[in-house]
Amino acid sequence: MRILLIEDEPELAAALVAALKRYGMVADHAGSLAEGEAAAASQAHDVIVLDRGLPDGDGLALIPRLHARGLDTPVIVLTARGDLGDRVVGLDAGADDYLVKPFAVEELLARLRALRRRPPRAETDSVRIGKLAFDLDARTGEVDGRALELPRRELLLLEALLRRRGRTVLREVIEQAVYGYDDEIQSNTLDAHVSRLRRRLAEAGAGVEIHGIRGVGYLLRESALQEDA
């Protein structure tokens, strides 16, 4: 399991990261809302362990931001606020579980395992981001009701990015989705297709951007201008 721990108390964070590693889990740590959002967008995680009292705001504010990016990673909320009203607020905000401080590490581990055993959430057949609507089953897209016409390679590329929207998609993952075993792939083949797809999406006014993460892969998200509109 890969866990994202968003906790601003250094001693608690260090202890939890060490405990998770002892039990064979990979633990990424972020100390604020901003760092947590960036970490969630750049790396896929099985579960997010999220503190409410963060230096730049209530941790619950992160959950709708992740959902807006198309991320539905299960979230366990950590908090010192243990009354019923606070638990209800946390669960209504989209948290999957709620753990009150102080807690035993063994209980956190048990809750992580329980979340991991849950069946995956059904993926919606239709994706909407920016002004782009895309049917994952039919592999058809439209922008503001106008059909988006793309060559086959760029269509497969867009689908691969949309299925993991809001997260960095590794080059190898994209290449497996776009190219066949017999295709000859040069070092710049994928980059060329990404460049052409960027141009077509911009010309169509899709309101999405494809960001290149040097040496790693690509990230598709709603454009900054679209977010501010």
Side-chain angles (χ1 to χ4, degrees), residues 119-188:
R121 298 170 181 172
E123 184 179 61
T124 180
D125 294 332
S126 181
V127 174
R128 287 187 175 273
I129 179 170
K131 296 182 178 180
L132 171 66
F134 193 90
D135 188 315
L136 293 167
D137 283 341
R139 287 179 175 161
T140 57
E142 59 180 39
V143 176
D144 281 343
R146 304 185 307 275
L148 179 66
E149 301 293 342
L150 295 174
R152 177 175 172 275
R153 301 282 194 202
E154 293 165 36
L155 186 64
L156 292 174
L157 170 58
L158 178 59
E159 179 191 0
L161 293 171
L162 283 170
R163 286 187 181 277
R164 301 161 183 84
R165 59 202 175 277
R167 291 180 286 175
T168 299
V169 188
L170 299 179
R171 292 180 67 91
E172 307 91 274
V173 173
I174 299 174
E175 289 173 350
Q176 290 173 9
V178 175
Y179 307 108
Y181 291 114
D182 298 328
D183 290 330
E184 293 185 9
I185 307 173
Q186 304 298 323
S187 60
N188 65 341

Side-chain angles (χ1 to χ4, degrees), residues 106-117:
E106 290 76 11
E107 182 178 3
L108 173 60
L109 293 170
R111 290 172 183 260
L112 288 170
R113 291 192 294 268
L115 281 179
R116 191 70 175 91
R117 288 194 298 269

Side-chain angles (χ1 to χ4, degrees), residues 14-69:
L16 290 177
V17 167
L20 293 171
K21 288 182 177 179
R22 281 199 305 272
Y23 284 86
M25 301 180 189
V26 177
D28 298 323
H29 173 239
S32 67
L33 272 174
E35 290 178 7
E37 184 172 6
S42 63
Q43 172 69 55
H45 296 90
D46 295 296
V47 182
I48 296 173
V49 179
L50 174 64
D51 184 29
R52 281 198 65 174
L54 295 170
D56 50 348
D58 188 335
L60 293 181
L62 181 63
I63 298 176
R65 295 184 199 173
L66 297 180
H67 291 170
R69 289 174 173 267

